[in-house]
Amino acid sequence: MKKEDVQNIVATPVNAPVFPAVDIFFRNREYLNIVYETDLEQLRAVVPEPLELIGNQIKFEVINMPDSTGLGSYLECGHVIPVRYNGEIGEFYLSMYVNNQAAIASGREVASFPKKYGSPKLFLDNDVLVGTLDYHSLRVAQATMGYKYYPIKEEEAKAIIGTPQFMLKQHRGYEGELIISELTRSQITDIQVKEAYRGPARLELFQHVMAPLADFPVGKIMDAQHIIADLRLGGPKKMFDYMK
């Protein structure tokens, strides 16, 4: 391989990149979202300035992606927090637990998604939609929602999925020095809603040191949504540079 060819490598290993250089489109991407009230001080401890908290709510989400261009079929799960930045309402992505190596690597290296390994599941158990997260052998979260109770209008469902996403991108150099510290913004586009419902829901979180979802105890459940859509991820853009 010539020196001038190195910059054309998408990712290592050079003979089998961990993720492909493709425009990733998601078909039949399925969401289970549970929005609930939690401890305000815990939220303040993890939301970085200049983002502003807009309340004491947090969203637990499980997402099934059965048909993703270049990435195949996988699931992810985690916490997102409603915030405001320069007057715009969005969500700060705190944690994402994913069962696909290519999605973890590309999500972290190319974008700013806070992904690490976990084993989410999303399935129908008779009349109940069930979402779970296991971290290796231990259960971390279990959510249940009544199946297809109340339809959500298409425009509202698009707004839920298309909420701006704020993330923290951190990279360090060979001596441990911080070389990138940025707040980024991305937004899902090309949304085609196929089904959308809300209904009654419950959520249990279990203490785990490496998957600390239970640090945000479940208070009153404010909303639960089940949405299926085709869509495309928007690329991240730098909004704030902490090193300046």
Side-chain angles (χ1 to χ4, degrees):
M1 180 185 295
K2 296 183 178 181
K3 289 183 290 184
E4 56 267 26
D5 295 329
V6 172
Q7 293 188 30
N8 296 323
I9 298 171
V10 177
T12 56
V14 296
N15 61 340
V18 66
F19 56 84
V22 297
D23 179 21
I24 302 174
F25 187 80
F26 296 87
R27 293 174 176 84
N28 297 317
R29 182 166 164 138
E30 183 177 15
Y31 294 79
L32 168 60
N33 298 326
I34 298 181
V35 181
Y36 67 93
E37 293 182 337
T38 191
D39 185 276
L40 185 59
E41 293 306 313
Q42 293 282 43
L43 295 176
R44 285 178 175 150
V46 296
V47 173
E49 295 178 337
L51 296 178
E52 303 173 31
L53 275 173
I54 56 176
N56 67 339
Q57 294 184 10
I58 191 169
K59 181 170 73 177
F60 171 80
E61 63 178 17
V62 184
I63 307 175
N64 179 31
M65 290 155 282
D67 185 355
S68 307
T69 308
L71 299 177
S73 176
Y74 67 102
L75 293 96
E76 65 186 31
C77 174
H79 265 146
V80 297
I81 302 170
V83 293
R84 181 188 295 108
Y85 178 72
N86 282 350
E88 181 181 49
I89 300 297
E91 295 175 325
F92 173 63
Y93 272 61
L94 176 65
S95 62
M96 305 172 78
Y97 298 86
V98 187
N99 65 352
N100 178 294
Q101 184 186 29
I104 294 173
S106 62
R108 295 182 66 92
E109 293 181 21
V110 178
S112 317
F113 292 103
K115 296 187 177 188
K116 63 186 296 187
Y117 179 79
S119 298
K121 291 182 180 179
L122 184 62
F123 60 93
L124 185 62
D125 185 15
N126 201 318
D127 58 345
V128 176
L129 184 65
V130 181
T132 63
L133 173 62
D134 293 343
Y135 192 85
H136 300 297
S137 63
L138 296 180
R139 177 60 44 90
V140 176
Q142 179 168 293
T144 55
M145 175 182 171
Y147 190 62
K148 296 186 178 181
Y149 269 49
Y150 312 111
I152 299 175
K153 292 183 178 180
E154 181 178 347
E155 289 307 309
E156 183 185 1
K158 283 185 177 181
I160 292 170
I161 294 175
T163 301
Q165 304 164 325
F166 296 104
M167 291 155 292
L168 188 62
K169 185 166 188 172
Q170 296 279 97
H171 282 265
R172 293 188 177 273
Y174 297 115
E175 303 298 327
E177 75 279 15
L178 193 61
I179 57 176
I180 297 177
S181 183
E182 299 169 350
L183 181 70
T184 70
R185 179 194 183 279
S186 63
Q187 191 166 15
I188 288 172
T189 63
D190 301 335
I191 302 170
Q192 303 170 39
V193 175
K194 297 184 173 180
E195 295 187 75
Y197 296 89
R198 57 171 35 97
R202 298 291 186 272
L203 174 62
E204 290 182 276
L205 303 176
F206 307 95
Q207 295 285 352
H208 195 296
V209 65
M210 292 300 176
L213 279 74
D215 285 359
F216 305 92
V218 181
K220 182 180 179 181
I221 292 179
M222 306 302 294
D223 197 8
Q225 307 137 4
H226 177 210
I227 303 173
I228 301 173
D230 295 346
L231 54 88
R232 177 174 279 103
L233 291 183
K237 295 182 180 180
K238 181 171 66 174
M239 304 301 291
F240 186 86
D241 190 337
Y242 291 94
M243 300 197 60
K244 295 182 179 178

